[in-house]
Amino acid sequence: MKRILIFKGYLITGILFFIFSCNEPKTKEIAAVNPEDCEWYVVPESPLNGGTKNRLDVYVLRLYPNKSYLLAADLIFETGTWSFDDDKQLMVLRSKTRDGSEQQRYVMDEKQKNGKTLFTFYNQYPFTDDDKDEVVEVRALPNQSSRNPYDLTMHTWRNKPATAETPEQIKERTSNYLRFLEAIYAHAQDNNLENPGGRWYPKPVKFFSNKVSMAYADELTDWYDCFYNEAQGIEAYKLLSGALMKVKITGDDDVSRNLNCVKQLISNL
């Protein structure tokens, strides 16, 4: 049976998708979504997902019309360029690893009879069924917010410095991280995302329903990796801990409470 492709290698407009949150629909409004300029979120607990066979734990694939992309997955923050290969009939994601070598991922997209969209990720071509890295049902969401946590300008705090930083620079890096968190929750609020986040960024501050706490030492490896060394990462952790002590948790739901908390952290830093 012939696959119905979402991507054809050219700009597609006017395709209609329902706007959903990451978990449950929050609106019945229908909006036009350009599949080449949107956020493709994984549908949690979908029977179409690969389950324990999935190796990436993808959260979102953000595509831009200038052919750049951001892939957020379990401990993965990957950026690069994408293209549609007409011969292979799939999308190719090209990025650079830390050592400068080129990495390629292959994404096969398919529209199911019931209207659901399936993405299958591979790390090589040609491939077989055994080569699948990830199989997930996805939903397309246009960013209906002025805030974009997937924009690279929101991630300068990730750039590990080559030399030790001053206390002022450590504070600035920590502040930039909080601005990113603010964008995460403002974007979620504007787009009706109930459970934003995933595991693609460090979480020295952990958010729960009606509770916020600092992470334990064994949960901070990826946080320390954003600083010159562990000692400087600890100094930044102390800044956050001190700011959190002055926070009062308020809000009607998890997203609004977390956004309010982050704004207070920024003010208290």
Side-chain angles (χ1 to χ4, degrees), residues 16-21 24-31 192:
L16 299 182
F17 292 91
F18 284 101
I19 298 177
F20 288 102
S21 74
E24 297 295 334
K26 295 193 69 175
T27 176
K28 294 183 179 180
E29 178 185 357
I30 297 179
N192 292 323

Side-chain angles (χ1 to χ4, degrees), residues 111-249:
K111 194 78 169 180
Q112 306 291 293
K113 284 184 177 180
N114 57 9
K116 298 181 183 299
T117 302
L118 198 68
F119 278 6
T120 304
F121 289 77
Y122 300 89
N123 60 25
Q124 63 181 15
Y125 187 90
F127 46 72
T128 66
D129 282 345
D130 293 334
D131 297 325
K132 294 175 182 177
D133 274 342
E134 190 102 342
V135 180
V136 284
E137 180 190 343
V138 292
R139 289 178 177 143
L141 180 74
N143 180 14
Q144 302 183 113
S145 173
S146 61
R147 309 302 296 273
N148 181 8
Y150 310 119
D151 192 305
L152 287 181
T153 61
M154 300 301 304
H155 293 268
T156 57
W157 52 270
R158 288 181 180 270
N159 303 326
K160 189 181 184 72
T163 58
E165 293 187 308
T166 65
E168 291 76 16
Q169 289 174 315
I170 293 174
K171 183 176 180 179
E172 179 66 17
R173 186 175 294 273
T174 307
S175 177
N176 288 338
Y177 170 77
L178 289 176
R179 294 294 181 187
F180 156 73
L181 281 190
E182 183 182 30
I184 278 275
Y185 291 112
H187 168 273
Q189 191 173 66
D190 294 340
N191 287 285
N192 292 323
L193 291 170
E194 291 184 352
N195 293 304
R199 295 183 293 180
W200 56 282
Y201 60 89
K203 295 185 177 181
V205 180
K206 302 179 69 174
F207 295 90
F208 307 92
S209 294
N210 295 315
K211 177 184 175 183
V212 183
S213 66
M214 298 300 296
Y216 293 111
D218 60 355
E219 300 173 306
L220 296 169
T221 301
D222 53 348
W223 172 248
Y224 295 152
D225 197 40
C226 299
F227 296 85
Y228 176 68
N229 56 24
E230 182 175 320
Q232 296 215 322
I234 291 173
E235 290 304 311
Y237 178 90
K238 290 178 180 178
L239 289 174
L240 292 172
S241 179
L244 183 60
M245 293 178 64
K246 305 172 187 177
V247 168
K248 294 182 178 180
I249 305 299

Side-chain angles (χ1 to χ4, degrees), residues 22-24 42-51 54 136-137 139:
C22 278
N23 285 324
E24 297 295 334
V42 172
V43 179
E45 300 181 4
S46 166
L48 298 178
N49 293 346
N54 281 348
V136 284
E137 180 190 343
R139 289 178 177 143

